[in-house]
Amino acid sequence: MNALDGIRILDLSRVLAGPWCTQTLADLGADVVKVERPPGPSHPGGDDTRGWGPPFLKGRDGTDTAEAAYYLGANRNKRSITCDIAQPEGQALIRELAAKADVFVENYKVGDMARYGLDFASLHAINPKLVYCSITGFGQTGPYKDRAGYDYAIQGMGGLMSVTGERDDLPGGGPQKVGVAVADLFTGLYATVAIQAALRHAERTGEGQHIDMALLDTQVAMLANLGANYLVRGREEGKVPGRAGNAHVNIVPYQVFEVAPDAQGQPQHIILAVGNDSQFAKFCEVAGRPELAADERFARNQNRVRHRAVLVPLLEAIMKTRGKTDWLTALEAAKVPGGPINNLAEVFADPQVQQRGMVQTWQHPLADAVDLVASPLKLSATPVRSDLPPPLLGEHTAEVLGDWLALAPERLSELRARGIV
């Protein structure tokens, strides 16, 4: 049994924020039906990310398939149907499916769904209990609502790139985006939370609702302590948080340090993440410099932050006296937080990552033993499901229309013949 068994989700989203949301709901047991564009003379059909490669999944014959790794990473445990919502017959079919659904997810531009008769008001009239989630760059209201929103631009507009990257006064300083599309991913996760809350409300009251998720809203919320720093004191004092490289603006020492080079003379680095005064005292013992913890300038974190420019150069010199393994072993023994900086090969070879089952092997229609990153959700009574690999385009059209609508084979054949599905 899965936590969301029996929940039907009609997913008209594509690329990342929406699919990331519905993949999580699918992992939890929901029946997620991914609605995709049929192939046509000017379009290969389907979610755009199917073609966002290389790399592509290698088929059993050793050649590339049409399934990009990007797509595979965001669409497990779903079923795929094709439906041309630009045609009235396709719109009518989606309305039939929406009448049977618990959740409807879309990430079209503001107003597009209304043009198709698939907006919240239209579907609410058909199914008053429906939870309808719209995901856009800027939301359904405001002066930017009609703009297209992309993660990269949102990271810039939403302040993240102003606080990410090396300090402007150091080599390599300047705006830097995060290595993955975090605005998309966080929006997908916030949408997942909102949908489950709305489902709870619908169960109690029979009332559905419209969830308005915006990437920019999420990015602003993600500023977390930096946003709070600015609003609580920075705005009043004219201090705007900036880039701090690998350092933390509120905690010292909490950054990357270079340590002694390896046997081949290559530079090595570790993370030192001292979170409180007790840990700093333990670190000083490990470093053989207990007097630093007794120094009034460094004894408390607030003073270490104020005297960062004095303390950090002292620590940089100390850290270079010992090698990576020596430091990490000593810090772990003293319960001082720290760690290596792993590349992805090292991540997936890590025994902790392996023991936690963060790589999952799937049987795919086009290939055997496809390894993908697993869900991080670990539920003792209702574990996540792992029965449906990322679907081929339209793989489940007949199956879903039969399950949800008891569609007659004759009507399905007619819809296929007319290019509706």
PDB file of all heavy atoms in Angstrom, residues 220-233:
ATOM      1  N   VAL A 220      12.130  33.788  -4.044  1.00  0.00           N
ATOM      2  CA  VAL A 220      12.210  34.770  -2.960  1.00  0.00           C
ATOM      3  C   VAL A 220      12.115  34.073  -1.607  1.00  0.00           C
ATOM      4  O   VAL A 220      12.871  34.386  -0.674  1.00  0.00           O
ATOM      5  CB  VAL A 220      11.104  35.834  -3.113  1.00  0.00           C
ATOM      6  CG1 VAL A 220      11.059  36.740  -1.894  1.00  0.00           C
ATOM      7  CG2 VAL A 220      11.332  36.664  -4.378  1.00  0.00           C
ATOM      8  N   ALA A 221      11.220  33.096  -1.481  1.00  0.00           N
ATOM      9  CA  ALA A 221      11.103  32.350  -0.218  1.00  0.00           C
ATOM     10  C   ALA A 221      12.380  31.593   0.096  1.00  0.00           C
ATOM     11  O   ALA A 221      12.775  31.469   1.263  1.00  0.00           O
ATOM     12  CB  ALA A 221       9.922  31.385  -0.296  1.00  0.00           C
ATOM     13  N   MET A 222      13.063  31.107  -0.950  1.00  0.00           N
ATOM     14  CA  MET A 222      14.294  30.329  -0.769  1.00  0.00           C
ATOM     15  C   MET A 222      15.466  31.155  -0.239  1.00  0.00           C
ATOM     16  O   MET A 222      16.482  30.594   0.175  1.00  0.00           O
ATOM     17  CB  MET A 222      14.729  29.722  -2.107  1.00  0.00           C
ATOM     18  CG  MET A 222      13.960  28.508  -2.550  1.00  0.00           C
ATOM     19  SD  MET A 222      14.372  28.130  -4.270  1.00  0.00           S
ATOM     20  CE  MET A 222      16.154  27.982  -4.193  1.00  0.00           C
ATOM     21  N   LEU A 223      15.329  32.467  -0.253  1.00  0.00           N
ATOM     22  CA  LEU A 223      16.424  33.291   0.273  1.00  0.00           C
ATOM     23  C   LEU A 223      16.615  33.085   1.766  1.00  0.00           C
ATOM     24  O   LEU A 223      17.665  33.446   2.313  1.00  0.00           O
ATOM     25  CB  LEU A 223      16.153  34.771  -0.034  1.00  0.00           C
ATOM     26  CG  LEU A 223      16.155  35.141  -1.519  1.00  0.00           C
ATOM     27  CD1 LEU A 223      15.738  36.588  -1.708  1.00  0.00           C
ATOM     28  CD2 LEU A 223      17.523  34.893  -2.152  1.00  0.00           C
ATOM     29  N   ALA A 224      15.607  32.546   2.439  1.00  0.00           N
ATOM     30  CA  ALA A 224      15.712  32.060   3.813  1.00  0.00           C
ATOM     31  C   ALA A 224      16.387  33.068   4.748  1.00  0.00           C
ATOM     32  O   ALA A 224      15.937  34.200   4.877  1.00  0.00           O
ATOM     33  CB  ALA A 224      16.431  30.710   3.817  1.00  0.00           C
ATOM     34  N   ASN A 225      17.489  32.664   5.366  1.00  0.00           N
ATOM     35  CA  ASN A 225      18.135  33.540   6.343  1.00  0.00           C
ATOM     36  C   ASN A 225      18.662  34.830   5.726  1.00  0.00           C
ATOM     37  O   ASN A 225      18.690  35.882   6.377  1.00  0.00           O
ATOM     38  CB  ASN A 225      19.281  32.802   7.051  1.00  0.00           C
ATOM     39  CG  ASN A 225      20.373  32.365   6.097  1.00  0.00           C
ATOM     40  OD1 ASN A 225      20.139  31.548   5.211  1.00  0.00           O
ATOM     41  ND2 ASN A 225      21.572  32.903   6.262  1.00  0.00           N
ATOM     42  N   LEU A 226      19.054  34.787   4.442  1.00  0.00           N
ATOM     43  CA  LEU A 226      19.553  36.009   3.809  1.00  0.00           C
ATOM     44  C   LEU A 226      18.422  37.011   3.593  1.00  0.00           C
ATOM     45  O   LEU A 226      18.602  38.222   3.776  1.00  0.00           O
ATOM     46  CB  LEU A 226      20.234  35.672   2.483  1.00  0.00           C
ATOM     47  CG  LEU A 226      21.511  34.842   2.598  1.00  0.00           C
ATOM     48  CD1 LEU A 226      22.111  34.606   1.228  1.00  0.00           C
ATOM     49  CD2 LEU A 226      22.515  35.512   3.512  1.00  0.00           C
ATOM     50  N   GLY A 227      17.257  36.504   3.217  1.00  0.00           N
ATOM     51  CA  GLY A 227      16.106  37.385   3.108  1.00  0.00           C
ATOM     52  C   GLY A 227      15.737  37.983   4.449  1.00  0.00           C
ATOM     53  O   GLY A 227      15.431  39.185   4.560  1.00  0.00           O
ATOM     54  N   ALA A 228      15.777  37.148   5.484  1.00  0.00           N
ATOM     55  CA  ALA A 228      15.478  37.641   6.830  1.00  0.00           C
ATOM     56  C   ALA A 228      16.526  38.657   7.291  1.00  0.00           C
ATOM     57  O   ALA A 228      16.196  39.677   7.918  1.00  0.00           O
ATOM     58  CB  ALA A 228      15.400  36.475   7.813  1.00  0.00           C
ATOM     59  N   ASN A 229      17.802  38.386   6.990  1.00  0.00           N
ATOM     60  CA  ASN A 229      18.861  39.341   7.358  1.00  0.00           C
ATOM     61  C   ASN A 229      18.573  40.728   6.785  1.00  0.00           C
ATOM     62  O   ASN A 229      18.708  41.753   7.473  1.00  0.00           O
ATOM     63  CB  ASN A 229      20.218  38.867   6.820  1.00  0.00           C
ATOM     64  CG  ASN A 229      20.773  37.690   7.584  1.00  0.00           C
ATOM     65  OD1 ASN A 229      20.233  37.280   8.605  1.00  0.00           O
ATOM     66  ND2 ASN A 229      21.856  37.128   7.079  1.00  0.00           N
ATOM     67  N   TYR A 230      18.173  40.747   5.511  1.00  0.00           N
ATOM     68  CA  TYR A 230      17.926  42.036   4.876  1.00  0.00           C
ATOM     69  C   TYR A 230      16.696  42.729   5.456  1.00  0.00           C
ATOM     70  O   TYR A 230      16.720  43.925   5.763  1.00  0.00           O
ATOM     71  CB  TYR A 230      17.754  41.861   3.363  1.00  0.00           C
ATOM     72  CG  TYR A 230      17.380  43.153   2.678  1.00  0.00           C
ATOM     73  CD1 TYR A 230      18.312  44.172   2.544  1.00  0.00           C
ATOM     74  CD2 TYR A 230      16.088  43.362   2.208  1.00  0.00           C
ATOM     75  CE1 TYR A 230      17.970  45.385   1.952  1.00  0.00           C
ATOM     76  CE2 TYR A 230      15.734  44.560   1.611  1.00  0.00           C
ATOM     77  CZ  TYR A 230      16.679  45.566   1.493  1.00  0.00           C
ATOM     78  OH  TYR A 230      16.343  46.765   0.917  1.00  0.00           O
ATOM     79  N   LEU A 231      15.601  41.979   5.635  1.00  0.00           N
ATOM     80  CA  LEU A 231      14.371  42.601   6.101  1.00  0.00           C
ATOM     81  C   LEU A 231      14.458  43.045   7.557  1.00  0.00           C
ATOM     82  O   LEU A 231      13.909  44.092   7.932  1.00  0.00           O
ATOM     83  CB  LEU A 231      13.199  41.634   5.912  1.00  0.00           C
ATOM     84  CG  LEU A 231      12.821  41.320   4.457  1.00  0.00           C
ATOM     85  CD1 LEU A 231      11.740  40.250   4.413  1.00  0.00           C
ATOM     86  CD2 LEU A 231      12.377  42.569   3.715  1.00  0.00           C
ATOM     87  N   VAL A 232      15.144  42.259   8.378  1.00  0.00           N
ATOM     88  CA  VAL A 232      15.203  42.569   9.803  1.00  0.00           C
ATOM     89  C   VAL A 232      16.129  43.745  10.101  1.00  0.00           C
ATOM     90  O   VAL A 232      15.813  44.620  10.916  1.00  0.00           O
ATOM     91  CB  VAL A 232      15.618  41.324  10.618  1.00  0.00           C
ATOM     92  CG1 VAL A 232      15.880  41.677  12.081  1.00  0.00           C
ATOM     93  CG2 VAL A 232      14.530  40.249  10.530  1.00  0.00           C
ATOM     94  N   ARG A 233      17.288  43.801   9.417  1.00  0.00           N
ATOM     95  CA  ARG A 233      18.241  44.880   9.704  1.00  0.00           C
ATOM     96  C   ARG A 233      18.841  45.535   8.465  1.00  0.00           C
ATOM     97  O   ARG A 233      19.119  46.724   8.463  1.00  0.00           O
ATOM     98  CB  ARG A 233      19.389  44.346  10.594  1.00  0.00           C
ATOM     99  CG  ARG A 233      18.983  44.005  12.003  1.00  0.00           C
ATOM    100  CD  ARG A 233      18.616  45.254  12.810  1.00  0.00           C
ATOM    101  NE  ARG A 233      19.727  46.157  12.978  1.00  0.00           N
ATOM    102  CZ  ARG A 233      20.618  46.072  13.969  1.00  0.00           C
ATOM    103  NH1 ARG A 233      20.515  45.112  14.877  1.00  0.00           N
ATOM    104  NH2 ARG A 233      21.595  46.955  14.069  1.00  0.00           N
TER     105      ARG A 233
END
